[in-house]
Amino acid sequence: MGGKVWINGTIVEPEKALVNVYDHGLLYGDGVFEGIRAYAGKVFKLREHLERLLESAHSIALDVGMSRDALAKATEETVRATGKKDCYIRLVVTRGVGNLGLDPRKCSKPQVIIIVDDISLYPPEMYERGMEVVTAATVRNITNALSPRIKSLNYLNNILAKIEANRAGVPEAIMLNAAGEVCECTADNIFLVKRGVLSTPPIHSGILEGVTRNTVMDLAREAGIEVREPTVTRHDVYIADECFLTGTGAEIIPVVKADDRVIGTGTPGPITRQLRERYHALVRQG
Ligand code: PMP
C-alpha cells in the first residue's frame, strides 16, 4: 500500500503531486506544517494539530482559505484513500505561487498539501534501552525573531542542531535558548523526572508547544504525578532521575545519557515506563 497526497482538492498518487517551482514554500520556506499520526484508522488529536496549524498560519499572516472542519475532512479522506490504519500525515500550507521577490502579496493563493504515508520510527531497542543526546551549540530561534511556537517551513534552526547530533553519533540534540536555558530537542519536547515530580520547559523558554507534550502532561496529572514547568538548565538534565522526549513521531522515548553524563540509573525509569503505557493505551482508544 502506497501513500496518497491531497492537493488542490483531489487525492492523487505521490508522483502525481507536483508543486510549482515559484511556490514561496520552496523559494523562501514561507509556509507552515503539521506532523500528525493515525492509529487504527483514527487520526490522533486532529483538532489540536489543526488548531496549531491555523494559529501558525495566522501568526505569519497566511490565510489558509479552508476551515478547520474542511481541513479535518480532507485529512480523514486522504487517510481512508491510502487504506492504511497506522500512518503519518504531513499537512503543509505554503504561501503559494509568486514571483522571485519575497513579497507575499505577489502570491496568488495558498497551496494546501496533505501527504499520508508510512511512519518511520526509532528502532524498538531504543525505546527499551533509551537514547543518548548531546547539547547543540546552535541556539534555538529567538522568540522575537521567529517564534518557535510557529511550526513554519523554516526548519533550518533545528536542522543545524540535528547535524550536530549526527556528527556526535547520537539521534537527538538538546537545544538551548539565547539565555542558555534548555528548550527542547530538534523535533521533540523534553521532560525530566526528579524525586517523582515531572518537569518540562515552559512555553516562554522558546519551544514548540507539542501536542504530545500537552497530552503527556494531562496523562501525568491523571496518574497523580505532579507536573511543573520551571526553567530548565543542563545541570537539571544531568542530575535528573529520568529523562524522556515526546513528539508525534517518537511518542515517548527515554533518554539515558546527555553530554556523556549518565541520567539516573542509565536505563528507562519507572515514570517514563508508566507514561509510555498510558500513552499507548490512549492512542489506541483514540
Ligand atoms: N518540538 C519541535 C521543534 C518539533 O518539530 C516537534 C514536532 N515534531 C515537537 C517539538 C513535538 O511536537 P508534537 O508533539 O506536536 O509532535
Side-chain angles (χ1 to χ4, degrees):
M1 268 186 305
K4 294 272 189 229
V5 182
W6 187 101
I7 187 165
N8 301 323
T10 43
I11 297 170
V12 297
E13 298 299 316
E15 56 277 11
K16 297 261 166 56
L18 304 173
V19 290
N20 190 305
V21 294
Y22 283 80
D23 191 305
H24 279 205
L26 175 69
L27 291 176
Y28 297 111
D30 187 356
V32 294
F33 77 101
E34 275 300 318
I36 315 172
R37 255 174 106 158
Y39 295 89
K42 181 153 190 304
V43 184
F44 185 62
K45 300 277 178 195
L46 182 55
R47 185 173 55 82
E48 286 80 353
H49 282 286
L50 293 178
E51 255 161 31
R52 186 172 66 186
L53 181 86
L54 291 171
E55 284 176 3
S56 292
H58 183 68
S59 188
I60 66 161
L62 171 63
D63 181 356
V64 174
M66 283 175 76
S67 67
R68 199 182 75 191
D69 286 351
L71 288 166
K73 204 165 154 263
T75 304
E76 281 162 345
E77 263 175 31
T78 317
V79 170
R80 269 199 300 278
T82 63
K84 293 179 193 294
K85 297 288 170 223
D86 296 293
C87 52
Y88 184 76
I89 302 150
R90 171 60 54 87
L91 228 161
V92 183
V93 186
T94 74
R95 190 77 65 177
V97 176
N99 63 16
L100 293 178
L102 55 79
D103 190 344
R105 289 176 303 185
K106 298 279 159 34
C107 298
S108 47
K109 63 173 177 40
Q111 171 80 72
V112 181
I113 301 162
I114 305 168
I115 307 168
V116 179
D117 216 322
D118 293 328
I119 171 134
S120 66
L121 302 167
Y122 284 125
E125 315 85 73
M126 214 174 259
Y127 289 86
E128 288 312 313
R129 288 193 214 124
M131 68 155 68
E132 182 176 350
V133 300
V134 292
T135 305
T138 304
V139 166
R140 189 76 176 99
N141 276 338
I142 295 166
T143 305
N144 285 339
L146 176 60
S147 173
R149 294 182 73 183
I150 302 169
K151 200 162 166 59
S152 85
L153 293 179
N154 264 284
Y155 251 54
L156 269 180
N157 182 219
N158 310 63
I159 290 165
L160 292 179
K162 186 77 175 181
I163 289 169
E164 293 187 57
N166 292 346
R167 292 191 63 192
V170 299
E172 260 296 356
I174 295 174
M175 300 184 78
L176 310 176
N177 64 17
E181 297 160 6
V182 169
C183 289
E184 58 184 336
C185 286
T186 69
D188 294 312
N189 292 111
I190 187 166
F191 282 80
L192 304 177
V193 177
K194 185 74 177 173
R195 293 185 205 96
V197 176
L198 186 67
S199 298
T200 192
I203 308 297
H204 63 74
S205 280
I207 62 164
L208 180 80
E209 186 179 355
V211 171
T212 320
R213 171 188 184 272
N214 292 347
T215 305
V216 166
M217 288 164 83
D218 287 345
L219 286 176
R221 288 192 192 102
E222 278 166 36
I225 299 166
E226 189 184 335
V227 182
R228 293 190 198 151
E229 293 173 81
T231 53
V232 172
T233 65
R234 276 193 292 167
H235 178 68
D236 295 316
V237 177
Y238 301 154
I239 62 158
D241 298 328
E242 300 179 37
C243 176
F244 61 83
L245 310 183
T246 64
T248 296
E251 299 179 325
I252 297 176
I253 185 144
V255 174
V256 292
K257 212 181 214 191
D259 299 330
D260 251 346
R261 278 78 157 182
V262 172
I263 297 174
T265 60
T267 54
I271 292 188
T272 308
R273 286 182 183 279
Q274 188 193 346
L275 290 171
R276 278 197 65 207
E277 277 162 27
R278 284 176 181 267
Y279 190 80
H280 286 151
L282 181 71
V283 298
R284 275 184 211 110
Q285 89 196 30

